[in-house]
Amino acid sequence: MLRRVAAGCARALGTGGGARPVSGLSPPGRSASSGSPDASRNQPPSSEFLARPVGVCSMMRLPVQASPEGLDAAFVGVPLDIGTSNRPGARFGPRRIREESVLLRTANPSTGALPFQSLMVADLGDVNVNLYNLQDSCRLIREAYEKIVAAGCIPLTLGGDHTITYPILQAMAKKHGPVGLLHVDAHTDTADKALGEKVYHGTPFRRCVDEGLLDCERVVQVGIRGSATTLDPYRYSRSQGFRVVLAEDCWMKSLVPLMADVRRQMGGKPLYISFDIDGLDPAYAPGTGTPEIAGLTPSQGLEIIRGCQGLNVVGCDLVEVSPPYDPFGNTALLAANLLFEMLCALPKVTVV
């Protein structure tokens, strides 16, 4: 399914099916003049040689590839929002994140990471979800990700509402067994059901526990906050062995010490990162469906992701970006940068 969709995107955008680049332009994502020391790997084109408004609207203007074969990592869109409980619009998240990613560059001077010198990376397009059937969409997502991880490719996902993490983790656990989870969010997403339904964006990690997809002693939830229906809304998470770090315990401080503890807790076993953009304060990320005041800052978000560098990260997602609620694009720009930081934190990335 993913292969057909990505191939369709490539044909529509002029990157496949024998299409030729416009005369006088380098093919997006493959510019030899981008300064890359390794021409055998895909390189986002430099704005020094290819103007930012030019080219395919893929993540970082990387090539759109139909298959995960031969890739070390790939960006994948999951444009689904029929699991939302409040404001919709996350189906448009992947497209807007890709649009804003044109501002990203290839190196990370803050961490010394050089991902495109280390990994073969591409954009695999979007999973062809069923916007009229949430259960069927979960099946389609799971099947697509089973193929991605079976190829040895680490997925970096552009959501989409948080429901999508459930079928993704089904695919992860099929290959890796129960995984550790670093979950940044305003909400624990461990409800059992709503309106009689057991699958929506408030239940993914409850369903993951039910199916044994998580190594519960290696689950950390950071940024949790907001009003609740009880005075102990974190009881379920803690009863499963999750570590719950409330937002107020993060106020006005660096999260580097926290991440040192998390690193020791995660060890060398497989780790999945799930980052809901509403973990950040809506002053920075207003374009989301269920905003909660007094959240994390972007710099704390960077500390969390950079704190994962060197860990056995097997997949990542950035979810719940709803562009209609941020017409200026700042939420999507922030999301694009966080996804780049996740790429930089992957195993085998050269750090100098």
Side-chain angles (χ1 to χ4, degrees), residues 14-58:
T15 59
R20 299 177 180 176
V22 177
S23 177
L25 294 182
S26 299
R30 299 184 184 274
S31 172
S33 56
S34 63
S36 166
D38 187 349
S40 67
R41 296 190 176 96
N42 295 334
Q43 299 289 322
S46 169
S47 61
E48 295 180 25
F49 305 103
L50 191 66
R52 287 197 170 101
V54 173
V56 173
C57 188
S58 61

Side-chain angles (χ1 to χ4, degrees), residues 48-239:
E48 295 180 25
F49 305 103
L50 191 66
R52 287 197 170 101
V54 173
V56 173
C57 188
S58 61
M59 188 67 181
M60 297 184 70
R61 296 192 290 179
L62 285 162
V64 177
Q65 185 164 316
S67 166
E69 297 297 331
L71 297 178
D72 300 303
F75 294 102
V76 187
V78 185
L80 183 76
D81 64 0
I82 60 174
T84 53
S85 58
N86 191 39
R87 306 192 306 198
R91 67 181 64 184
F92 304 116
R95 184 172 298 180
R96 191 61 191 267
I97 293 169
R98 287 180 172 112
E99 182 180 349
E100 297 297 336
S101 74
V102 72
L103 281 172
L104 297 173
R105 302 163 187 89
T106 57
N108 191 332
S110 297
T111 66
L114 296 166
F116 297 102
Q117 290 188 20
S118 319
L119 307 176
M120 177 64 88
V121 188
D123 189 325
L124 286 178
D126 295 331
V127 177
N128 187 17
V129 295
N130 182 348
L131 292 179
Y132 308 112
N133 188 317
L134 186 56
Q135 293 284 356
D136 190 44
S137 286
C138 287
R139 177 188 63 82
L140 292 165
I141 295 165
R142 183 187 71 250
E143 291 175 354
Y145 277 76
E146 285 175 351
K147 294 176 182 177
I148 293 170
V149 298
C153 177
I154 298 176
L156 300 105
T157 301
L158 293 62
D161 74 55
H162 221 152
T163 312
I164 71 174
T165 305
Y166 166 44
I168 292 173
L169 285 173
Q170 288 178 317
M172 290 289 160
K174 183 176 181 180
K175 177 172 182 177
H176 300 287
V179 298
L181 173 69
L182 178 58
H183 172 209
V184 182
D185 204 322
H187 316 95
T188 61
D189 292 351
T190 55
D192 186 34
K193 59 185 176 180
L195 303 178
E197 298 298 325
K198 295 179 76 71
V199 176
Y200 78 106
H201 76 161
T203 65
F205 302 113
R206 183 81 162 233
R207 300 287 79 83
C208 288
V209 170
D210 290 346
E211 297 182 17
L213 309 180
L214 299 176
D215 179 355
C216 293
E217 296 300 319
R218 294 193 306 119
V219 175
V220 180
Q221 298 181 303
V222 185
I224 309 301
R225 62 190 188 279
S227 57
T229 57
T230 72
L231 293 178
D232 190 11
Y234 321 119
R235 178 183 300 175
Y236 176 83
S237 288
R238 288 171 172 157
S239 72

